[in-house]
Amino acid sequence: MTAALAIEQLLNGLQLGVMLFLMAAGLTLIFGVMGLINLAHGSLYMVGAFACAAVASLTGSFWLGLIASLAAAAAAGAIIEVLVIRRLYSRDHLDQVLATFALILIFSEGTRWVFGSFPLYLNIPSILQGAVSLPGGVQYPAYRLAVIAAGGLIALGLAALITRTRLGIRIRAGENDREMIGALGVDIRTLYTVVFALGAALAGLAGALVGALQSVQVGMGEPVLILAFVVIVIGGIGSIKGAFLAALLVGVVDTMGRFLLPHLLATVLPPSEAGTIGGSASSMLIYIMMAFILAFRPRGLFAA
Amino acid sequence: MISREWTVNAALALALLAAAIAAEAAGQVFYITLATRIAILGLAATGLNLALGLGGLVSFGHAVFFGIGGYAAGILGSHAFSGDPMIFGLEGSNSMPLIWLVAALAAAVAGVVIGVISIRTSGVYFIMITLAFAQMLYYFAISWPAYGGEDGLSIFVRNAFPGMNTMKPLSFFLISFGALMAGIAILAVLRGSRFGSALDVVRQNEVRAAAVGINPFPVKLTAFVLSAMITAVAGALYADLNRFVSPSMMSWHMSGELIVLIILGGTGRLFGPMAGAALFVLIEHNLGELTERWQFFLGLILLVTVLFARGGVLGFLAGKVRHG
């Protein structure tokens, strides 16, 4: 185990963290403003990845694909908001879970219908291929580094949007008192559609960015969705700041746990058992962490 | 007085029994298996109905108890088959009643641990934390190689029930059907008891329950643990039905499906889960024959049910729940 490898793993953890943030930001905004639990957020992530892969293979340009992913996911989000989600705001969480679970079935099977069962591949743009030398002799893929940077920039942009713009003021007002901002003349239905489409676009972008690292396939959004739930529960539902810090925490703990636990256990156990137990324990680590945090702070670290 | 709901309930139960017997008479083993699936999924959802329908605890991780039951059957059965002792030198067993007991006890232990932490939270946090616990054990089952890991564990010979040949489809159906009826009876007794009334009050308004001297926490925890135990017994039966158990029994899709069964049938109704399971299995079977895209249409049906037909099958057949 070398320092260079540890730094590489740490960066991988950060990269997972910022992608989780893109997912979690939308989920937590949607919950904070509309009080809606949206299981179909993972489907929007998948829509973004498929749109990017399809456009990139048609035009040959990854960048056009990224734009397509934002547009397709935002459009899909706006459409389901108007057709389905809008009817769920006044319902209890159980109905929301079920209706969005139904949307997952529809999206997954619909995507399989259009694109077939085989995974698509998305190539990393040529300008970001290859590795970058970092201080300390670490070679790290340029694309992953760009993903970390992009995630960080989007987080800053989102913070600016929410704290500095008129739309942000309305979003925050909507979180505090939705009847009152309706009474003040804000068109709350449009605001909800906009917030939902914004969350969807972020999820779609995350799907496209990760799609170039993994394969683009049906069901790719579900593991990420569940991790994003863990993130927003740890961060405190409705809190963007909480989501950002919890996303980095979950990303780093998950990646470093998988890397370090087998090594740590190998000092006290025979290697094969250390690998097995370390593997099992590290896949449970973030859930154990979540249980601990919730046992002491049942509403998350930064409850709104 | 026999209410309309009880007439519908009796008709549903008899229809399932009659369908299996008719299938046996016609030599259609496949349909007996379908009926058995309905009974077992109905029992699993009946367990969840205690927490979700009667207690208002929207557990999105009940598949974990279903899986624990499945692994109890698989692990005990495989040790009995191979003759190897388990940990602490305990013998395996292929006796279903013993397996159900072990399944229920194991689920009770897991239910207490998960419940104590989860029930401190409420609303959307409860949904997500139960989901997260289920994922935790799901990944554990996947990465633990001793009992098959991701590939699952095959049960070579279906476990035995005293006095019956469980390999005969109708016998196994009758065992499952009996278990379903027992599960529904337990729910009926609990609902009519002092505990059931307390649970009802806690579901409707915790503050008022506390004000009249009912501490909500132990009531909810008891409902959650009992619910886990019933679902685990169904899991053991399900593993025996398929003669296979794998981590997918614990997946969050399974948790979602269990909730779907309750909603399709009618939330909080005694026979709702069974009606929902029947509808679900029939949709799966019939749509599956028509199109391989059946999940797409299942999604549409589910969406329409949630948005426009809240009462489910029993709401349609037996009218709205009377309050009081």
Side-chain angles (χ1 to χ4, degrees), chain B residues 188-210:
Chain B
V189 170
L190 283 177
R191 193 169 73 162
S193 68
R194 280 170 55 86
F195 169 76
S197 308
L199 188 60
D200 203 29
V201 176
V202 168
R203 177 176 56 84
Q204 290 180 27
N205 193 325
E206 280 192 36
V207 179
R208 285 188 193 163

Side-chain angles (χ1 to χ4, degrees), chain A residues 64-296:
Chain A
L64 284 178
L66 271 192
I67 294 169
S69 75
L70 281 167
I79 291 170
I80 60 171
E81 201 276 341
V82 170
L83 289 181
V84 178
I85 304 288
R86 187 170 277 184
R87 300 169 204 277
L88 297 171
Y89 296 141
S90 57
R91 301 287 193 88
D92 59 16
H93 292 316
L94 178 61
D95 283 7
Q96 298 173 351
V97 164
L98 278 163
T100 51
F101 184 76
L103 284 175
I104 293 180
L105 295 179
I106 295 172
F107 267 105
S108 294
E109 206 54 56
T111 308
R112 201 171 283 142
W113 215 336
V114 176
F115 289 96
S117 303
F118 294 103
L120 304 181
Y121 292 94
L122 187 55
N123 289 323
I124 293 173
S126 51
I127 190 171
L128 292 174
Q129 272 168 359
V132 177
S133 299
L134 296 180
V138 183
Q139 292 283 314
Y140 196 71
Y143 181 75
R144 283 181 184 261
L145 220 48
V147 167
I148 296 175
L153 283 177
I154 291 167
L156 284 177
L158 199 59
L161 174 78
I162 289 186
T163 53
R164 302 259 182 268
T165 64
R166 183 161 286 271
L167 176 64
I169 292 173
R170 289 181 173 169
I171 289 174
R172 281 180 290 143
E175 282 180 327
N176 281 332
D177 192 332
R178 64 195 74 166
E179 279 89 12
M180 187 54 90
I181 74 157
L184 289 173
V186 174
D187 180 357
I188 199 139
R189 282 163 74 97
T190 315
L191 178 67
Y192 284 0
T193 311
V194 168
V195 170
F196 199 87
L198 175 67
L202 291 176
L205 181 67
L209 290 174
V210 174
L213 292 170
Q214 300 162 356
S215 60
V216 175
Q217 57 188 331
V218 173
M220 65 185 284
E222 293 171 8
V224 187
L225 173 78
I226 292 172
L227 284 182
F229 275 144
V230 172
V231 165
I232 67 172
V233 166
I234 288 179
I237 299 177
S239 161
I240 296 274
K241 183 173 121 196
F244 184 70
L245 293 174
L248 294 186
L249 183 69
V250 167
V252 170
V253 166
D254 189 53
T255 312
M256 293 309 273
R258 282 172 207 281
F259 169 62
L260 287 177
L261 268 182
H263 283 288
L264 283 178
L265 287 170
T267 56
V268 290
L269 290 171
S272 66
E273 280 182 43
T276 310
I277 297 176
S280 309
S282 57
S283 60
M284 295 164 68
L285 195 60
I286 53 164
Y287 301 104
I288 296 170
M289 179 174 81
M290 183 185 95
F292 256 100
I293 289 175
L294 283 192
F296 294 104

Side-chain angles (χ1 to χ4, degrees), chain A residues 31 37 91 95 98-99 102 104 106 109 113 222 226 229 233 237 276 280 284 287 290-291 294-295 298-299, chain B residues 120 124-125 128-129 132-133 135-136 139-140 143-145 252-253 260 263 293 295-296 299 303 306-307 310:
Chain A
F31 188 83
I37 168 171
R91 301 287 193 88
D95 283 7
L98 278 163
I104 293 180
I106 295 172
E109 206 54 56
W113 215 336
E222 293 171 8
I226 292 172
F229 275 144
V233 166
I237 299 177
T276 310
S280 309
M284 295 164 68
Y287 301 104
M290 183 185 95
L294 283 192
R299 304 192 67 77
Chain B
R120 286 167 49 87
V124 71
Y125 283 87
M128 290 185 186
I129 195 169
F133 272 115
Q135 285 301 110
M136 181 166 124
Y139 284 118
F140 177 77
S143 57
W144 193 256
W252 73 288
H253 267 273
V260 167
I263 302 302
R293 307 286 171 215
Q295 289 211 335
F296 184 86
L303 198 56
V306 175
L307 290 180
R310 277 309 321 273

